[in-house]
Amino acid sequence: MVPQTEGFNKVYSFSVLAIVLLISIATQWQQKSIGYFFGFAGLGAMKGDPKFEISTAYPELNQYYGLLVGLCYSLPYAISGLYAGSLTKTGNRKLMMITVVTLLSLFQISTGVFNSFLVLAVFRFLHGAVSSATKPLAFSLVADYFP
């Protein structure tokens, strides 16, 4: 039950909560997407086509998959997460969330546009660093709208 306080707009607050939930789901999907795509095997004409199989597009992925989804993503996520929490106190949280979501989308799209394993690793690193800001921002936005 949401408490009724002066200046509390229930519809707007629940709208913010729904948006934050969708952002959290999208961020989790983006984080796990490389695992889904790596396991995909094309059928028929798609079989072995680098446009449909990431393992065919990046042969190095078979050897460095653990490094790419583990260290390249988790290390910057853990380190940046320490600073992201303190940044939520200093700036406009809505603007920060919009910036984070925009950057995450650009990084995710860029991993599919460029055909280089090194670029893929760099964008995974950057995605991990930026996506760590979504949780502190989400918690503080919810706390702002649910007194």
Side-chain angles (χ1 to χ4, degrees), residues 23-38 54 58 61 68-69 72-73 99-116 119-131:
I23 289 171
S24 294
I25 291 169
T27 304
Q28 281 298 107
W29 183 82
Q30 289 177 349
Q31 179 183 2
K32 306 292 185 198
S33 65
I34 196 164
Y36 300 138
F37 298 142
F38 180 64
I54 194 170
Y58 301 107
L61 204 54
L68 192 64
V69 298
C72 279
Y73 193 91
T99 304
V100 165
V101 169
T102 303
L103 285 172
L104 291 176
S105 298
L106 287 173
F107 294 155
Q108 187 71 10
I109 290 169
S110 298
T111 59
V113 171
F114 299 106
N115 196 15
S116 166
V119 173
L120 176 65
V122 167
F123 279 118
R124 287 297 292 174
F125 186 91
L126 292 172
H127 194 281
V130 174
S131 77

Side-chain angles (χ1 to χ4, degrees), residues 11-25:
V11 173
Y12 186 74
S13 297
F14 279 104
S15 298
V16 169
L17 182 63
I19 290 169
V20 167
L21 175 66
L22 290 174
I23 289 171
S24 294
I25 291 169

Side-chain angles (χ1 to χ4, degrees), residues 16-17 20 84-94 96-97 133-147:
V16 169
L17 182 63
V20 167
S86 63
L87 285 176
T88 60
K89 298 176 194 170
T90 60
N92 182 344
R93 292 181 182 117
K94 289 183 217 175
M96 288 173 69
M97 185 64 99
T134 58
K135 297 298 182 208
L137 284 169
F139 295 148
S140 55
L141 277 170
V142 170
D144 287 348
Y145 289 102
F146 287 93

